[in-house]
Amino acid sequence: MKLLFCVNMLNEGLHLSDISGVLLLRPTNSNIIWHQQIGRCIESNNSKNPVIIDAVNNFNSVQQGIGLLQEIKEAVAKEKESGNRGSGDSGWIDIDTFFVTEYVQNVQEMFGQIEGRLKDGWDFYIKALEQYKEREGDCLVPQKHIEILEDGTEINLGKWVDSIRQAKKGKNNYLLTLERIKQLNDLQFAWNTESMFEKFYKYVILYKEKFGNVNIKQKDKIDGYNIGMVFSFLLQEYKKGRLANEQIVNLKEIGIDVTKDKHGQQFQMKMQLVQKALSENIKISRINPIYQDVNLYNWYRNCKSKFTDEEIEIIERLIPNCHTKKVVIIDIKDGKVKTFSSISEAGRALYNDFHLVNTEKSGRSIITNRLTGHIKNPVYKGLRFEYVDEEPLKEKSPTIKKVSS
């Protein structure tokens, strides 16, 4: 087959003999352009019966085809009357038959069907899946995973695996024969999330017993089981609405809340680490900030405005010297000084005593941002916040360590 491919060119002015067909891939609302394009194969000197494939449905209806046929007949009649080819009807071919086949199909589905019929395409995916399973131990391929074969061929394996599961449910047109289903079953392909979930649930309990938390990372394994990979897959399933409510509740009961975003899950998991460290009488400090490969000291300092008062009380038992410095609130107008045992207590005072903020949390955040220098102006509505030196305060004139001027 000889194919001439062009983009927005050769619509007119090109006259080749015996063109067998035209494949239209460019949408247009212009009848002129459409007529020019199909005119490349209905030249008067064409000895073939050309086929026009309008893949983008510029040809709106059979009625339009009838109109086109009428235009052609009128053009022939006009040409006969002009006598350009001599007298009589010799040399003219009557156009009495004009076949129009109207068939509309989603292009994506169409190519999916074509791909499913290509044996080599299927074999590539199976080869990629076998390679993945040999390396990872299962067929739980992440949705966006690209598998690279030994020859460098890149296979979008994650998307293919998802398509296979949907095809099994009859939700797409992928060609899934009994032979292909058997191939996948031989690889222990996971057709649904139910059996996968049960296995994952058991291993989460083992993980929690062993490590004291459910801070599962993507590369984590336990007893050879890719718990991190399965966890990532189940999160994707939840986002697609494929996890049952009962499964969501069961996960929440063992400390995994899939309804939270990624940052919310990490926050929850680190709070669980805090509880476990407390149960082991661990103390976190600036010198010893890490517990189970997580820097809890920096995490608390960087996220302190996000904690509730209850969470702060728990964490300050684990990190006793992190925020136990006393804080003073100075009224710039009259010079009065009030001392508080912590930022949290000072924040509560802004809400309950000074009535300058809407919540205790916002009061705590206002003080924290000024003491850490995140906000350069140390004054808020006539009040100034400063840390008290660690040395005992004198009764008459307290020694105050200024953080910013």
Side-chain angles (χ1 to χ4, degrees), residues 114-370:
I114 294 172
E115 182 183 44
R117 295 187 183 98
L118 296 176
K119 182 176 184 300
D120 289 342
W122 173 267
D123 289 343
F124 267 118
Y125 284 114
I126 289 295
K127 184 177 180 181
L129 186 60
E130 289 173 341
Q131 178 177 289
Y132 180 90
K133 184 183 179 184
E134 183 178 355
R135 183 180 66 250
E136 302 294 341
D138 55 48
C139 297
L140 303 175
V141 186
Q143 185 182 15
K144 297 181 180 180
H145 177 74
I146 304 294
E147 186 73 12
I148 302 176
L149 301 180
E150 293 180 357
D151 62 0
T153 302
E154 295 186 357
I155 303 293
N156 193 338
L157 191 60
K159 187 175 181 180
W160 178 79
V161 165
D162 187 64
S163 297
I164 292 297
R165 290 194 181 100
Q166 297 307 305
K168 189 68 161 56
K169 298 175 183 178
K171 294 185 177 180
N172 61 35
N173 294 322
Y174 199 98
L175 187 63
L176 200 57
T177 64
L178 293 176
E179 181 183 355
R180 290 179 172 182
I181 292 174
K182 183 179 183 304
Q183 267 186 294
L184 293 169
N185 286 337
D186 291 342
L187 288 171
Q188 296 179 332
F189 186 80
W191 292 102
N192 55 59
T193 60
E194 292 178 6
S195 57
M196 183 191 313
F197 180 85
E198 292 173 2
K199 187 175 182 180
F200 173 75
Y201 187 86
K202 293 176 183 178
Y203 275 99
V204 170
I205 293 175
L206 289 176
Y207 188 99
K208 191 171 184 179
E209 290 175 353
K210 183 174 182 179
F211 300 107
N213 62 79
V214 288
N215 187 22
I216 303 171
K217 303 178 183 65
Q218 187 168 5
K219 294 183 179 180
D220 281 353
K221 293 184 180 182
I222 180 167
D223 296 339
Y225 176 70
N226 290 316
I227 191 170
M229 191 73 72
V230 180
F231 185 33
S232 298
F233 174 79
L234 290 176
L235 287 176
Q236 293 296 326
E237 290 293 285
Y238 166 74
K239 291 177 182 178
K240 295 177 183 178
R242 297 177 187 169
L243 278 189
N245 288 332
E246 183 181 356
Q247 293 173 329
I248 296 171
V249 171
N250 288 341
L251 288 176
K252 190 175 290 188
E253 287 176 352
I254 57 175
I256 295 178
D257 190 352
V258 295
T259 63
K260 292 184 177 180
D261 59 19
K262 183 178 180 181
H263 297 291
Q265 292 171 21
Q266 291 177 348
F267 187 91
Q268 179 189 28
M269 291 172 180
K270 287 175 181 175
M271 280 303 300
Q272 291 172 354
L273 279 181
V274 169
Q275 295 281 13
K276 185 172 187 296
L278 282 172
S279 69
E280 297 175 1
N281 295 320
I282 301 292
K283 294 298 180 184
I284 297 296
S285 65
R286 183 173 58 83
I287 299 175
N288 298 305
I290 296 174
Y291 176 71
Q292 291 194 2
D293 298 326
V294 177
N295 193 321
L296 293 176
Y297 185 85
N298 284 346
W299 168 64
Y300 179 49
R301 287 179 63 86
N302 294 333
C303 304
K304 52 198 167 188
S305 61
K306 299 179 181 179
F307 293 95
T308 64
D309 290 340
E310 182 181 354
E311 289 168 339
I312 289 174
E313 291 177 6
I314 293 172
I315 292 178
E316 287 186 348
R317 284 160 45 202
L318 178 69
I319 316 174
N321 297 319
C322 186
H323 289 295
T324 54
K325 285 186 178 181
K326 293 182 179 181
V327 175
V328 294
I329 298 180
I330 306 169
D331 189 321
I332 294 177
K333 186 176 181 179
D334 58 22
K336 290 182 178 179
V337 177
K338 287 190 176 182
T339 304
F340 301 91
S341 62
S342 66
I343 291 178
S344 297
E345 187 182 341
R348 282 193 287 269
L350 280 187
Y351 173 68
N352 295 316
D353 301 336
F354 292 91
H355 306 294
L356 295 177
V357 293
N358 295 325
T359 63
E360 293 181 4
K361 183 177 179 180
S362 61
R364 187 171 65 248
S365 178
I366 287 167
I367 297 173
T368 299
N369 287 334
R370 282 161 177 79

Side-chain angles (χ1 to χ4, degrees), residues 106-118:
N106 182 284
V107 174
Q108 185 177 3
E109 291 181 0
M110 180 177 67
F111 281 109
Q113 290 178 342
I114 294 172
E115 182 183 44
R117 295 187 183 98
L118 296 176

Side-chain angles (χ1 to χ4, degrees), residues 8 11 26 28-39:
N8 205 26
N11 287 337
R26 170 201 171 180
T28 179
N29 292 321
S30 170
N31 283 331
I32 294 175
I33 291 177
W34 186 70
H35 285 146
Q36 287 174 338
Q37 289 175 339
I38 65 173

